[in-house]
């Protein structure tokens, strides 16, 4: 079983919709939770990171972490066709350097 | 803003050949990380360096080695290449202690024929 699980999608939504992307993880030692966006054949782009439980907002993006249920979410408001990409959640305990990624969810926002 | 630079962007090698991938971190970043991403897969951590010392090791094959130089750039050396080594290789960088804030380069696409 992977340490971080993510529904691969694809998730198809109309432009302007609210998108909810989710991951679950198994190791309670993880303290940092990241969301990356990856366009085809490009490098992952860091969208935001969160420490421990709680919410963090940046523009149209909101990250949410619930450590009690080991569940992390990314919400995208007013989704745009340019948001079409693969979204990867990642976790880190900051004791080690590695990021452990979920498998990624492919999002398609249709105009 | 300056980003992570990787070279070459594309590389084609034959089986049993060697390859060297280079990574130039974001200015002032002193920690570099290498990841391998196979087709349809998520990135897998290979190895990381801080201040020229290996700081963490993941699923890096023994045929691969890496190092970090005094200007913080890093090189990934791959020998006895196999077909299964065909993948995207990403370098990421961060400030020391901020491994949760890694910024990725555009990647090197390695094709082994």
């Amino acid at each position: 079983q992977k340490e971080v699980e993510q529904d691969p999608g694809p998730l198809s939504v109309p432009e302007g919709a609210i998108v909810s992307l989710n991951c679950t993880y198994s190791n309670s030692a993880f303290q940092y939770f990241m969301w990356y966006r990856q366009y085809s054949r490009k490098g992952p782009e860091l969208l935001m990171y969160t420490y421990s439980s709680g919410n963090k907002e940046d523009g149209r993006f909101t990250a949410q972490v619930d450590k009690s249920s080991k569940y992390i979410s990314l919400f995208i408001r007013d989704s745009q066709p340019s948001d079409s990409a693969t979204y990867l959640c990642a976790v880190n305990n900051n004791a080690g350097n590695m990021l452990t990624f979920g498998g990624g969810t492919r999002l398609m926002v249709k105009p | 803003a300056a980003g992570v630079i990787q070279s070459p962007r594309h590389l084609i090698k034959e089986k049993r050949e060697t390859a060297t991938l280079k990574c130039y971190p974001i200015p002032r970043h002193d920690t570099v990380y290498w990841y391998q991403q196979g087709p349809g897969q998520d990135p897998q951590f290979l190895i990381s360096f801080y201040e020229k010392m290996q700081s963490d090791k993941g699923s890096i094959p023994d045929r691969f080695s890496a190092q970090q130089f005094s200007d913080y750039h890093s090189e990934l050396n791959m020998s006895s290449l196999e077909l299964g080594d065909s993948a995207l290789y990403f370098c990421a960088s961060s400030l020391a202690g901020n491994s949760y804030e890694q910024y990725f380069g555009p990647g090197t696409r390695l094709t082994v024929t």
Side-chain angles (χ1 to χ4, degrees):
Chain A
Q1 184 187 2
K2 289 190 65 169
E3 285 191 288
V4 185
E5 300 276 0
Q6 190 174 1
D7 188 328
L11 177 63
S12 182
V13 301
E15 183 176 355
I18 296 174
V19 176
S20 172
L21 302 164
N22 308 292
C23 289
T24 58
Y25 64 95
S26 56
N27 189 341
S28 58
F30 294 132
Q31 296 179 33
Y32 288 90
F33 307 91
M34 283 65 68
W35 283 98
Y36 283 84
R37 176 174 62 194
Q38 187 173 25
Y39 293 109
S40 181
R41 296 174 176 263
K42 304 288 186 184
E45 173 191 359
L46 178 63
L47 291 175
M48 52 203 310
Y49 66 87
T50 309
Y51 173 71
S52 194
S53 284
N55 292 359
K56 187 173 184 178
E57 187 175 322
D58 184 359
R60 296 186 295 112
F61 298 89
T62 299
Q64 199 171 75
V65 177
D66 182 347
K67 290 197 73 178
S68 63
S69 59
K70 299 189 181 69
Y71 197 82
I72 53 180
S73 302
L74 178 71
F75 299 97
I76 307 174
R77 290 186 300 281
D78 188 24
S79 56
Q80 303 294 310
S82 59
D83 294 329
S84 299
T86 296
Y87 289 79
L88 296 150
C89 62
V91 298
N92 174 262
N93 62 14
N94 212 33
N97 289 297
M98 61 184 289
L99 298 182
T100 301
F101 286 88
T105 299
R106 189 164 144 245
L107 171 68
M108 295 185 293
V109 181
K110 296 187 180 300
Chain B
V4 176
I5 297 171
Q6 291 187 246
S7 67
R9 296 293 310 278
H10 302 273
L11 192 57
I12 299 175
K13 291 286 185 178
E14 294 188 353
K15 282 195 308 183
R16 293 179 288 278
E17 286 192 317
T18 61
T20 297
L21 280 53
K22 296 186 179 182
C23 168
Y24 297 86
I26 290 171
R28 295 190 300 112
H29 281 192
D30 48 17
T31 306
V32 295
Y33 315 80
W34 287 97
Y35 291 83
Q36 178 192 59
Q37 186 175 30
Q41 306 291 316
D42 53 277
Q44 297 293 314
F45 174 75
L46 294 178
I47 197 166
S48 63
F49 289 87
Y50 165 65
E51 289 290 344
K52 299 184 288 183
M53 298 289 290
Q54 179 185 305
S55 53
D56 213 347
K57 190 172 181 179
S59 51
I60 184 169
D62 292 341
R63 300 177 289 107
F64 294 7
S65 65
Q67 57 183 324
Q68 185 183 31
F69 297 85
S70 55
D71 64 351
Y72 299 122
H73 94 270
S74 178
E75 295 182 4
L76 178 66
N77 300 293
M78 311 159 72
S79 63
S80 303
L81 288 169
E82 302 174 355
L83 295 178
D85 296 329
S86 296
L88 267 170
Y89 290 84
F90 290 108
C91 172
S93 74
S94 77
L95 292 169
N98 287 13
S99 56
Y100 50 84
E101 197 173 355
Q102 296 182 26
Y103 294 91
F104 282 71
T108 294
R109 179 170 294 279
L110 172 67
T111 303
V112 182
T113 62

